[in-house]
Amino acid sequence: MLQFLIRRSFGAVLILVLISAFTFFMFFAIPQDPALLACGKNCTPDALDIIHKNLGLDQPVTVQYWHFLSGIFTGRDFAVGHCDAPCFGVSFANDQNVWDTIVDRFPTTLSLTAGSLVVFLVVGLGAGMVAAKKRGTWLDKVFSSGSLVISSLQIYFLGPLVLLLFVYSTGWLEKPKYVPITEDAAGWFAGLLIPWIVMATIFTANYTRMSRSSMIEQLQEEHVKAARAKGMSGNYTFFRYAWRGSLVPIVTILGIDLSSLLGGGMVTELTFSLAGIGRLALDSVTNKDLPMLMGVMLVSAALIIVFNLIVDALYAVIDPRVRLS
């Protein structure tokens, strides 16, 4: 296990370097000078030269990229001041420290994605298990048919619809907003409840179908039948043997869906006007803000890689037959 994690960690570092290099050099393929954004409408050649020097844009692209990478570990000095490690640079748009901005926005995105992850796993796996246990009954048909209908919905359609029905028309739920959980736990929960439900709905349908089919397959396995033949109760064999085995393909799909979850988080943040990393990424693309875009992409990629490492390690816990080496 340790050798596996070390090997994957080295691979993760290489992937992050390649992502940063691709993003950095692709940005400079754009004809527009990024310093023009910071210079403003009434920009003069002298002011533009000063901005180039302050932001380090007067140096070759390869030198700029090296300063960017080294700044993440050792910090970096700009003409406008020092940036402590981890330094992802200074925003071209507003001169703010990139890392500080990401740290400020990260709790919103973390709360949104983690909450929706819990919701769709609990609801999706629970509905799939019930449908498998009640296979062929009206309950199975309701869950199976409902998942097909729900899977056709999209966040940008379902979000405004839920707002109209439960916020503006009835007032049953609060308008989505982010409140730090350390300040007001109840306000944090109430403010993110609608985004959680909307975002989780899109994933719940898929996990309901996967959980049902995987559980039905496990119930046909010989070791499950053998357990029943030895006199073990149906509920015991269902949860002790069949349910545990059904989690392996679901964990596989979950590792793939992590990137989709972050993408869905971006759409959800835009739909409900939440100031998270997804919204920050879109703004940085619109403003051609390279340091902010680089920082957001690297942090997002690092999160996906870490989550996938955790998912891979879970295989050995869920299925003892799996050995990571």
Side-chain angles (χ1 to χ4, degrees):
M1 176 71 76
L2 181 59
Q3 293 179 355
F4 166 79
L5 293 177
I6 293 175
R7 187 170 63 251
R8 288 295 300 271
S9 298
F10 279 115
V13 172
L14 178 60
I15 291 174
L16 291 176
V17 171
L18 292 176
I19 291 175
S20 65
F22 176 79
T23 307
F24 195 96
F25 291 106
M26 280 297 294
F27 181 87
F28 280 93
I30 301 175
Q32 185 177 0
D33 187 352
L36 290 174
L37 177 64
C39 193
K41 295 182 178 180
N42 300 321
C43 186
T44 63
D46 291 338
L48 193 62
D49 291 338
I50 294 175
I51 293 175
H52 274 104
K53 183 177 180 181
N54 290 343
L55 297 179
L57 298 175
D58 57 337
Q59 299 174 340
V61 177
T62 53
V63 175
Q64 294 183 46
Y65 179 65
W66 170 249
H67 287 166
F68 171 79
L69 283 183
S70 60
I72 296 177
F73 303 98
T74 62
R76 186 176 173 186
D77 290 318
F78 293 91
V80 294
H82 179 73
C83 176
D84 295 328
C87 178
F88 287 87
V90 178
S91 170
F92 288 167
N94 50 31
D95 293 332
Q96 293 182 351
N97 185 292
V98 171
W99 177 250
D100 291 342
T101 304
I102 293 176
V103 170
D104 183 62
R105 298 286 192 97
F106 182 70
T108 303
T109 299
L110 178 62
S111 299
L112 177 62
T113 54
S116 61
L117 176 66
V118 172
V119 172
F120 77 68
L121 283 180
V122 171
V123 177
L125 298 185
M129 289 171 56
V130 172
K133 192 173 181 61
K134 302 294 183 180
R135 182 182 181 185
T137 64
W138 65 269
L139 197 59
D140 178 25
K141 295 178 181 179
V142 169
F143 284 143
S144 300
S145 302
S147 63
L148 290 175
V149 174
I150 293 175
S151 63
S152 64
L153 300 176
Q154 297 296 327
I155 295 176
Y156 53 79
F157 167 78
L158 187 59
L161 181 61
V162 173
L163 284 176
L164 178 63
L165 293 177
F166 296 102
V167 177
Y168 301 120
S169 297
T170 62
W172 291 348
L173 298 175
E174 293 186 10
K175 185 177 180 180
K177 61 181 179 180
Y178 175 73
V179 178
I181 190 174
T182 54
E183 297 180 4
D184 183 5
W188 170 82
F189 180 85
L192 292 176
L193 182 58
I194 290 180
W196 284 344
I197 294 174
V198 170
M199 188 172 170
T201 299
I202 310 303
F203 292 91
T204 297
N206 294 330
Y207 282 84
T208 298
R209 296 197 303 271
M210 286 189 298
S211 177
R212 177 186 180 275
S213 60
S214 180
M215 181 64 73
I216 291 175
E217 181 180 350
Q218 286 296 314
L219 289 172
Q220 307 302 318
E221 292 289 338
E222 293 299 328
H223 69 280
V224 177
K225 294 180 180 180
R228 292 288 291 129
K230 291 180 180 180
M232 297 181 183
S233 65
N235 289 333
Y236 181 82
T237 55
F238 186 87
F239 290 101
R240 177 65 177 84
Y241 296 104
W243 180 73
R244 184 174 181 178
S246 69
L247 291 180
V248 175
I250 293 174
V251 169
T252 302
I253 301 300
L254 179 61
I256 299 174
D257 281 345
L258 289 174
S259 57
S260 300
L261 188 63
L262 289 178
M266 178 184 296
V267 178
T268 306
E269 289 175 11
L270 295 175
T271 302
F272 297 107
S273 300
L274 298 174
I277 291 182
R279 183 66 177 269
L280 184 63
L282 182 62
D283 292 341
S284 64
V285 172
T286 303
N287 296 329
K288 299 181 178 64
D289 191 351
L290 173 62
M292 194 67 71
L293 178 61
M294 291 279 292
V296 171
M297 289 192 64
L298 286 178
V299 170
S300 300
L303 287 175
I304 294 175
I305 290 173
V306 170
F307 287 151
N308 276 279
L309 282 174
I310 296 175
V311 167
D312 289 341
L314 283 176
Y315 284 124
V317 177
I318 296 174
D319 190 348
R321 295 171 298 178
V322 176
R323 292 292 180 264
L324 301 177
S325 60

